Amino acid sequence: MKLFMALSKQTAYRKTGLVSSMTSSLRFQGELNVDLGEFQINLVPFPRLYFMTTGMSPITSKMDVSTAPNHVQSITDECLMPTNWLVQYTEFDREQDKCMAVGLNYHGNVKSKEANATISWLKDNHKLSLVEWCPTGFKIGLSEMPQLCLDADDIGSFPRNVVMISNNTGISRMFGKRLVQKFDYMYSQQAFVHWYFGEGMEEGELTEAREGLVCLEKDYMDVLIEQVSDDYFSDCTADDDCF
């Protein structure tokens, strides 16, 4: 139980640090301040596909701060690795799981020239894959204030930090392999359904919700189509259950 509580606290610190970093432009000056509204516009190309993948770097213990690299290129590379994400992907494939858009919010002593050079380096070295119809795909924010860590946090403070929010098609597996599969297991035994029925829900609403998840997974897969046709998403937009 003590180990679980300790892990829960560290997870909470990561989440609060990420939210604090993404909203820092509201509190501090920067060479290229970007508010959440701008990130939302750039990260959500379609109304239903707004499930984000988040990551941050560096995530290094206080004991290793003095020896850990803190160059713009190195922390950006780490931030794009699944080990630094707050979402646990199953069988993530850098080539197959493509990004529709990526937001990188830098903190500390980072100049726009360094950030732009790093983006070019990422593309040249194929550090991530972007969908064919959106080859630019990056939104950069710069804030002069580096991310601060709490005294109780095990993670050390650095002069440079970066937080990533990306819209990646790989998150579709969360709906199919996690939510839908677990729903099917429990629903086959009618487990917990009495609580929902007691609140006035009908059985059809549960199956409609499941169909909506399947449709959402299909939407993410359709994004990988290179040539977007006029009837893009037509299978789902014609069905009210998908919204």
Side-chain angles (χ1 to χ4, degrees):
M1 179 61 72
K2 290 183 178 180
L3 177 61
F4 174 78
M5 292 298 294
L7 292 174
S8 298
K9 284 184 178 180
Q10 292 303 315
T11 301
Y13 292 150
R14 299 292 80 71
K15 293 179 179 179
T16 54
L18 188 144
V19 174
S20 175
S21 296
M22 294 307 300
T23 58
S24 63
S25 62
L26 302 175
R27 301 183 297 276
F28 306 109
Q29 295 296 319
E31 182 181 353
L32 188 62
N33 267 350
V34 180
D35 61 32
L36 289 177
E38 292 182 67
F39 275 116
Q40 179 182 359
I41 291 172
N42 286 271
L43 290 172
V44 185
F46 304 105
R48 279 170 47 83
L49 308 187
Y50 53 80
F51 296 89
M52 299 293 125
T53 299
T54 56
M56 57 196 307
S57 178
I59 303 178
T60 306
S61 66
K62 293 179 179 178
M63 295 184 296
D64 298 327
V65 168
S66 59
T67 58
N70 195 233
H71 305 295
V72 177
Q73 184 173 301
S74 63
I75 62 175
T76 306
D77 189 24
E78 289 179 2
C79 192
L80 295 175
M81 294 180 180
T83 52
N84 282 49
W85 296 351
L86 274 68
V87 178
Q88 184 178 2
Y89 274 68
T90 55
E91 302 175 355
F92 178 78
D93 190 309
R94 193 185 294 267
E95 294 184 2
Q96 297 298 325
D97 297 328
K98 297 186 177 183
C99 293
M100 288 176 273
V102 181
L104 293 172
N105 205 2
Y106 291 96
H107 300 269
N109 185 22
V110 180
K111 302 300 181 183
S112 58
K113 184 178 180 180
E114 294 177 291
N116 290 327
T118 300
I119 299 303
S120 298
W121 176 80
L122 292 174
K123 293 180 179 180
D124 293 341
N125 290 274
H126 307 289
K127 292 295 183 177
L128 78 168
S129 298
L130 295 168
V131 292
E132 287 78 3
W133 47 264
C134 189
T136 52
F138 283 93
K139 183 67 176 179
I140 298 176
L142 301 176
S143 177
E144 297 176 354
M145 179 63 68
Q147 181 180 335
L148 300 179
C149 295
L150 300 175
D151 293 337
D153 196 347
D154 292 339
I155 302 302
S157 297
F158 287 86
R160 299 180 187 86
N161 307 82
V162 61
V163 170
M164 176 208 70
I165 298 182
S166 70
N167 199 339
N168 194 296
T169 59
I171 204 169
S172 62
R173 290 194 295 277
M174 302 295 175
F175 309 123
K177 291 189 176 181
R178 291 190 185 179
L179 296 180
V180 173
Q181 191 176 72
K182 290 179 180 179
F183 173 88
D184 290 341
Y185 287 155
M186 291 188 289
Y187 193 68
S188 65
Q189 302 298 320
Q190 294 289 293
F192 302 106
V193 296
H194 62 285
W195 295 112
Y196 296 94
F197 295 160
E199 294 295 328
M201 288 187 66
E202 297 181 359
E203 186 172 0
E205 293 180 83
L206 294 176
T207 56
E208 288 174 3
R210 182 195 182 281
E211 292 171 1
L213 284 174
V214 174
C215 189
L216 183 61
E217 183 181 13
K218 180 180 180 297
D219 287 352
Y220 273 100
M221 293 298 98
D222 287 344
V223 166
L224 298 176
I225 300 173
E226 184 172 356
Q227 298 295 332
V228 182
S229 60
D230 293 336
D231 57 348
Y232 186 63
F233 284 177
S234 60
D235 292 341
C236 287
T237 54
D239 187 353
D240 291 337
D241 293 340
C242 295
F243 289 86

